[in-house]
Amino acid sequence: MEYIFHEKQVGMLCAQHCLNALLQGPYFNPVDLAEIARGLDESEKQQMADGGVLSRAFQHCFSEPSSNYDDSGYFSIQVLQKALEIWNLELVPFNSSDAISRQARDDPSSVKAFICNFKLHWFTIRKLGHSWFDLNSMKSGPELISDTYLSLFLTTLQHEGYSVFVVSGNLPVCEADRKLHLIPRENLIQKKRPNANSSQGPIDRDLQMALEESRRLYEVEDSTTSPPSRATVPVATPDADEIRRLRLKFLEKPGPSSS
């Protein structure tokens, strides 16, 4: 994991952290992104002026604050898209009819990266070497995602209100990708396993709770249909579709009422 570039959250600069995680280097800072945002503002004002400086749209454009950035460090999707044009990269909505979006829905592991947004927060999910990583700046470091869990993770994020974008184009070559190509995925899993419980994020804990609930239900069903003296049979882990169903069911359960 030491090869992976990861910025921890500073203020509201998640758009900067998201882009730098995607590109795997300190390519952007707040000043760079603010300049891009101001350029977009000027282009929007020019377009409004072409329709007449006395038009309501033009007056509204000048009276309202920028929709592309603010003093907190927030930057819009338009700023991220403009920044990525330098590398001929494009952000395509995951649920669009674009060919790469259909490909990503059919097989998420067939593309190279995703960018996710919920309200003011942005973060990157990217494949490095043979493995996928959650590069969320709100976390202490990169988190390994299995190919099997990737589809469920993206579905869960959308269920929680995130907008997901597929990164289309060729990402720049980076040290992490080169070095992780030399490390078998199994080695990374073995390194992660001893600390798996302590490093789990909220979604991982929820998934584990859903799996435990599944195992409990299977055990209850087994105990009601078997003689009391029968030896306990190990319960198989549910497949991906079953996990997805349980995960969504778990999220929809009402929380405990406050006393």
Side-chain angles (χ1 to χ4, degrees):
M1 302 290 187
E2 62 271 16
Y3 307 126
I4 301 175
F5 183 86
H6 180 78
E7 292 180 344
K8 294 182 182 179
Q9 186 73 22
V10 175
M12 295 288 290
L13 297 177
C14 51
Q16 169 196 311
H17 305 321
C18 174
L19 289 172
N20 288 340
L22 175 69
L23 301 170
Q24 282 296 288
Y27 289 94
F28 290 102
N29 60 42
V31 175
D32 299 328
L33 296 179
E35 288 179 357
I36 293 173
R38 283 192 290 270
L40 289 170
D41 286 347
E42 290 302 318
S43 296
E44 292 170 5
K45 289 176 183 178
Q46 185 58 52
Q47 290 176 359
M48 296 296 179
D50 292 342
V53 294
L54 299 179
S55 67
R56 180 175 297 180
F58 183 79
Q59 296 298 323
H60 178 77
C61 183
F62 266 91
S63 63
E64 291 294 312
S66 171
S67 61
N68 291 307
Y69 75 117
D70 60 32
D71 293 338
S72 72
Y74 165 77
F75 294 97
S76 69
I77 178 65
Q78 288 78 15
V79 174
L80 273 71
Q81 287 176 323
K82 193 70 176 176
L84 292 175
E85 285 181 4
I86 300 170
W87 283 271
N88 294 317
L89 297 171
E90 183 181 0
L91 299 181
V92 183
F94 184 74
N95 292 320
S96 75
S97 59
D98 192 280
I100 194 169
S101 296
R102 295 197 301 270
Q103 174 187 335
R105 290 195 297 272
D106 291 340
D107 181 9
S109 63
S110 67
V111 298
K112 291 295 185 183
F114 300 92
I115 280 182
C116 307
N117 168 246
F118 180 64
K119 296 183 178 178
L120 302 181
H121 187 58
W122 298 92
F123 75 93
T124 290
I125 302 169
R126 177 174 170 173
K127 189 172 189 177
L128 292 164
H130 306 289
S131 306
W132 282 89
F133 294 90
D134 175 0
L135 302 177
N136 195 333
S137 57
M138 296 295 289
K139 299 182 178 181
S140 60
E143 292 191 353
L144 186 66
I145 304 174
S146 70
D147 287 355
T148 310
Y149 184 48
L150 178 61
S151 179
L152 174 59
F153 187 37
L154 293 170
T155 300
T156 299
L157 289 171
Q158 291 179 95
H159 181 82
E160 294 176 347
Y162 276 84
S163 297
V164 178
F165 300 88
V166 184
V167 179
S168 175
N170 295 319
L171 290 164
V173 175
C174 65
E175 180 186 21
D177 193 40
R178 287 197 303 267
K179 291 190 174 180
L180 289 171
H181 262 296
L182 303 176
I183 302 176
R185 177 177 172 76
E186 293 74 17
N187 291 11
L188 294 176
I189 295 173
Q190 289 172 1
K191 287 181 180 179
K192 178 186 176 184
R193 193 166 290 150
N195 298 318
N197 292 332
S198 62
S199 64
Q200 281 182 328
I203 290 176
D204 294 325
R205 288 194 295 270
D206 287 347
L207 177 62
Q208 185 61 37
M209 292 173 69
L211 288 171
E212 292 299 331
E213 178 70 8
S214 170
R215 294 189 183 99
R216 187 187 68 79
L217 292 174
Y218 279 118
E219 289 168 357
V220 169
E221 181 180 353
D222 186 64
S223 65
T224 59
T225 59
S226 306
S229 60
R230 179 178 158 186
T232 303
V233 178
V235 179
T237 302
D239 61 20
D241 290 336
E242 179 70 1
I243 292 173
R244 185 178 298 107
R245 182 184 70 79
L246 289 167
R247 176 70 177 93
L248 296 179
K249 180 180 178 181
F250 180 82
L251 287 174
E252 291 166 358
K253 288 171 60 177
S257 57
S258 57
S259 56

